[in-house]
Amino acid sequence: REGRNTWRLYSSDMEFHNNRRMTLETALRESLAQGEGIEAYYQPLFERDSGRLYSAEALMRWHHPQLGQVSPGEFIPLAESAGLILQLGQRLLDQVLQQLHDWLAAGLEPVPIAINLSPRQFWQHDLIDDIRTRLEAFAIPAELISFELTESTLLDRHQQAITALEALRDLGHRVAIDDFGTGYSSLSYLQDLPITTLKIDRTFIQALTEGNRRGSEAILAAVTGLAEGLDLQVVAEGVETHEQLDALARFPVQLIQGFLFGRPANAATFTTNWLIRRA
Ligand code: C2E
Ligand code: CA
Ligand code: CA
């Protein structure tokens, strides 16, 4: 009973949920304070036609001594709502910049690394200064860092989103719309955004061989046609099978990413499997 005319129902489910949430939040603060357990993994993206390594996406991994591995699907939304995402994101960006620095120092030719930005990160008031300062500190050129944002992040404040994206582009960064097709952006809205890349959500790739094939083909034709018209690069995300790759063959897709080609791997494994092999 919360007070006048207000009731709140509790269930053991909610209690479990709240406990888990509190446990994770405390643990995440702990890991951040100790500077341990947070690690960037790297998943390769390839040029479809040449098969060449093109870039990689940095994906955050969190391991806690008591809780073990927690998936980003769980701890990223939690970090967003608990006010920890900026700190986490800065930790990840610094780690990636250090890695790029190490690759360059070792005489390897690194590929650009894509960083995911969640809404709070993108809308932080000093985003541009923060990014520029960090890149300068590690002496990393902007072409080696790109960013990924979802449609929903960009939706609310259209004009401000355009301004922030322009600032990122002016610094020299590429910017992709992530999980494209799952949000609610209208097409005219897309036209105004100074982005470079569309990442087609993996549900559409899956549906090409499993779900309503004709429907998915129509969607893929429309999306890739649109991207072509707007001079945007297209990435097919979550390609898992040869069948899916074959089904993609007749669409203008430049880049592919997925378990079929390479899973996210820690820096050492990514270096051996992809960067050294390439050199
Ligand atoms: P996302 O940005 O869409 O990342 C792609 C996700 O799909 C990753 O999951 C990746 O491991 C997975 N994936 C890649 N290829 C395949 C495939 O062929 N099949 C399947 N089934 N999955 C594939 P992950 O690493 O669990 O990340 C989940 C989400 O967490 C990401 O989705 C992103 O939204 C968020 N995330 C991860 N790292 C960061 C980060 O550093 N910052 C922020 N803000 N969000 C992050
Ligand atoms: Ca992404
Ligand atoms: Ca995605």
Side-chain angles (χ1 to χ4, degrees), residues 202-214 216 238 240-241 243-244 247:
R202 78 178 146 88
T203 51
F204 296 104
I205 312 303
Q206 242 165 21
L208 272 182
T209 57
E210 284 165 26
N212 167 6
R213 293 191 189 198
R214 265 197 76 223
S216 330
E240 291 180 346
T241 66
E243 245 184 301
Q244 290 169 350

Side-chain angles (χ1 to χ4, degrees), residues 57 116 148 178 199:
E57 177 175 3
N116 290 285
E148 297 188 1
D178 207 354
K199 295 189 80 171

Side-chain angles (χ1 to χ4, degrees), residues 41-43 45 56-59 114 116 148 178 199 237 257:
Y41 268 45
Y42 300 88
Q43 186 181 26
L45 276 77
E57 177 175 3
L59 292 160
N116 290 285
E148 297 188 1
D178 207 354
K199 295 189 80 171
E237 285 198 284
Q257 175 182 14

Side-chain angles (χ1 to χ4, degrees), residues 43 57-61 72-73 76 85 92 116-118 121 148 178-179 202 237-240 258-260 264:
Q43 186 181 26
E57 177 175 3
L59 292 160
M60 211 185 297
R61 295 293 177 260
I76 297 281
I85 192 71
L92 183 98
N116 290 285
L117 292 180
S118 57
Q121 295 177 276
E148 297 188 1
D178 207 354
D179 307 340
R202 78 178 146 88
E237 285 198 284
V239 181
E240 291 180 346
F259 292 168
L260 179 62

